[in-house]
Amino acid sequence: MQIEIRSPLGPLSLTSKEGKLTHLQFSGHRAQNPDVQHKDSNSRDFGIIQQACLQLLEYFNGKRQVFNLPLSPQGTNFQKDAWNIIKEIPYGETRSYTWQSSAIKIFRGQRAVGVANSKNPLPILIPCHRIIAKDGALKNYIGGTQVKKRLLLHESFFHSQKRIGLPL
């Protein structure tokens, strides 16, 4: 099942299959995976899309920091390792490509993890926007550098409010 929703970043397309999310795509950045076009739907897919919409709304409103959704990203074992380690980065924080490659025991693999991140079929949910260059530069992002910057600023804002105890 595939549905398009509105977000502060523009339209997002969500795709689920067999009760798990398979893709989240930014408008204008489609069809990295030909499987995105499947149209079969069932109540499990509708339910997971509904949960994803609610959790994304909570995220964009600063009320959610961790997503709790069944995900089924398709990729190589290396890509899945690279994506899984990203999920360990706390909300409002960043890590470098060097950190990411070392964390999955691929030393000097910064470019390789960067390529894996560019194939992430579930950005935001698998928060590859939290990976930046060692010098702090915002390198390539699947939704564009401006979207990456907006996501990092969004998380930084809500993370700092929570840290100092302001009501959200």
Side-chain angles (χ1 to χ4, degrees):
M1 173 176 208
Q2 186 173 26
I3 190 168
E4 190 167 282
I5 63 169
R6 284 186 250 163
S7 83
L9 303 172
L12 300 175
S13 176
L14 291 166
T15 306
S16 67
K17 186 174 183 180
E18 298 173 3
K20 296 180 180 179
L21 289 172
T22 60
H23 294 84
L24 183 155
Q25 295 176 302
F26 297 99
S27 178
H29 296 91
R30 298 212 189 276
Q32 292 182 350
N33 187 327
D35 192 38
V36 164
Q37 300 306 317
H38 65 269
K39 298 288 184 197
D40 57 331
S41 70
N42 60 47
S43 61
R44 284 189 323 174
D45 287 332
F46 181 75
I48 193 60
I49 294 280
Q50 202 171 29
Q51 287 178 37
C53 290
L54 176 63
Q55 290 189 26
L56 284 164
L57 178 65
E58 292 170 344
Y59 171 81
F60 287 121
N61 286 328
K63 307 243 184 260
R64 175 173 291 277
Q65 296 183 0
V66 177
F67 292 98
N68 182 20
L69 298 162
L71 307 178
S72 183
Q74 298 302 303
T76 66
N77 288 337
F78 172 75
Q79 289 169 332
K80 289 178 183 179
D81 288 345
W83 302 333
N84 282 331
I85 202 71
I86 291 171
K87 291 191 252 180
E88 295 179 16
I89 303 168
Y91 178 92
E93 296 184 21
T94 59
R95 300 289 186 273
S96 69
Y97 293 97
T98 303
W99 171 87
Q100 185 184 14
S101 65
S102 295
I104 61 171
K105 312 266 188 279
I106 305 294
F107 300 97
R108 299 181 188 238
Q110 297 90 329
R111 281 194 184 147
V113 295
V115 170
N117 294 351
S118 75
K119 307 279 188 215
N120 176 4
L122 291 160
I124 304 174
L125 304 175
I126 299 175
C128 57
H129 60 276
R130 296 180 189 157
I131 298 291
I132 61 175
K134 193 165 41 172
D135 66 1
L138 303 182
K139 298 290 182 175
N140 298 331
Y141 182 63
I142 195 166
T145 307
Q146 286 303 313
V147 169
K148 183 173 189 167
K149 183 177 183 177
R150 287 180 65 189
L151 286 167
L152 292 173
L153 288 171
H154 167 81
E155 289 186 8
S156 175
F157 174 78
F158 285 108
H159 183 66
S160 64
Q161 283 197 344
K162 187 168 189 158
R163 226 182 0 209
I164 59 174
L166 293 175
L168 298 177

